[in-house]
Amino acid sequence: MADITETIRTEKSRTALSVQAGFLLAGLLLLLLAPFFFYPIFLMKLLCFALFACAFNLLLGYTGLLSFGHATFFGGAAYFTAYTVKEWGLPPEFGILIGVAGAAFLGLVMGFFAIRRQGIYFAMITLALSQMFFFFCLQAEFTEGEDGIQSVPRGHLFGFIDLNSSTNMYYFVLAVFLVGILIIWRFINSPFGMILKSIRENEQRAISLGYSVARYKLGAFVMSAALAGLAGAVKSIVFQFATLTDVAWQMSGEVILMTLLGGIGTLIGPLFGAGLVVVLENYLATSEFPVTIITGIVFMVCVLIFRRGIIGEFYASRLGRKLGFVYRR
């Protein structure tokens, strides 16, 4: 009897893996064919914000730390990349690497102070430090104040791939996006990621087991900041500018909204949430009705009906469990 039960479980596991692999391949195929059916700039914006939301979810969903200052890393990397590419004449790949390194450094500094507190105090510290960086960007000479850094050249990737072509630019952004998602997936499924989840569930127990919780939190904070910076750096190349909007507190609020809509603690949830918000902003931009009100209404409906987020509720549903998805948040 036990052998039969084990066989059934194995078959269910194989079926679930096959279904999930099918979803993954279908999604990848859709991304590869998307620029032939949709506006490439819109798709690139969606991918950048999806990566930004996934980076934020790494901190909130898997470590349990709510940051109100992630715009610092997103916008900071955008400024660093835009300046080095435009003023120093660096190729885009080096400009993006500098942006990511700058965001990681900002994450190290901000995280060093923020992780000393928990809960709402942690969130307020990140917000305060983020606002300090905002005013720095407003006053600093290299950011060009309220005008921002404009007319950033896309240049040639590795010296021979012309990024002024929308098709080339899209597939470059897609490659960066996939690499970023792969890094996040590997990170959360590593022993380091497992410890982060244990800290999220019961920090005191993790301390009693001998883990240096502060170091793990700081490591997660820096990793999240670097990936958010990757999204911001690529975004500055795509749109060829970096402005104060990228570092404003509204940007931090927007990425929180994306993550909550999709479902925290899921890899796919922030992608879906980012897509929903970007689509709403894009198609309602010419409407007389304020986009923020529509977005707020959608958020309230999701909070009332989908308490775990849209993807989180799907994972927890009977159909989601049959397909092998697990919601552990």
Side-chain angles (χ1 to χ4, degrees), residues 152-204:
V152 178
R154 288 184 176 178
H156 290 73
L157 184 67
F158 305 124
F160 64 92
I161 302 176
D162 186 9
L163 295 183
N164 291 300
S165 166
S166 295
T167 302
N168 292 344
M169 189 73 226
Y170 171 78
Y171 285 112
F172 169 62
V173 174
L174 177 59
V176 171
F177 168 77
L178 293 176
V179 169
I181 296 300
L182 183 61
I183 291 172
I184 293 173
W185 177 85
R186 184 67 188 90
F187 190 79
I188 62 180
N189 288 286
S190 67
F192 191 97
M194 297 302 172
I195 295 172
L196 292 181
K197 293 173 188 177
S198 69
I199 293 172
R200 179 194 67 191
E201 297 299 328
N202 193 327
E203 183 173 334
Q204 294 305 316

Side-chain angles (χ1 to χ4, degrees), residues 280-324:
L280 283 174
E281 290 179 348
N282 185 71
Y283 286 100
L284 295 175
T286 57
S287 172
E288 296 181 358
F289 204 72
V291 178
T292 52
I293 293 179
I294 296 291
T295 307
I297 292 172
V298 171
F299 178 67
M300 286 191 296
V301 170
C302 288
V303 167
L304 292 172
I305 299 176
F306 307 108
R307 300 295 295 274
R308 302 180 181 91
I310 297 173
I311 299 300
E313 288 292 345
F314 171 71
Y315 280 8
S317 67
R318 182 178 298 179
L319 176 60
R321 292 196 300 270
K322 277 188 175 182
L323 294 176

Side-chain angles (χ1 to χ4, degrees), residues 4 15 51 55 57 73 81 95 116 121 159 170 182 201 208 215 245 269 279 281 285 297 302 314 329:
I4 295 174
T15 303
L51 180 57
N57 184 54
F73 317 125
T81 298
R116 298 171 184 269
Y121 303 105
Y170 171 78
L182 183 61
E201 297 299 328
S208 69
R215 290 184 180 179
T245 304
V279 168
E281 290 179 348
I297 292 172
C302 288
F314 171 71
R329 183 68 176 92

Side-chain angles (χ1 to χ4, degrees), residues 127-139:
L127 177 60
L129 293 174
S130 178
Q131 286 300 100
M132 289 174 61
F133 186 75
F134 172 83
F135 286 110
F136 167 76
C137 292
L138 179 62
Q139 299 294 331

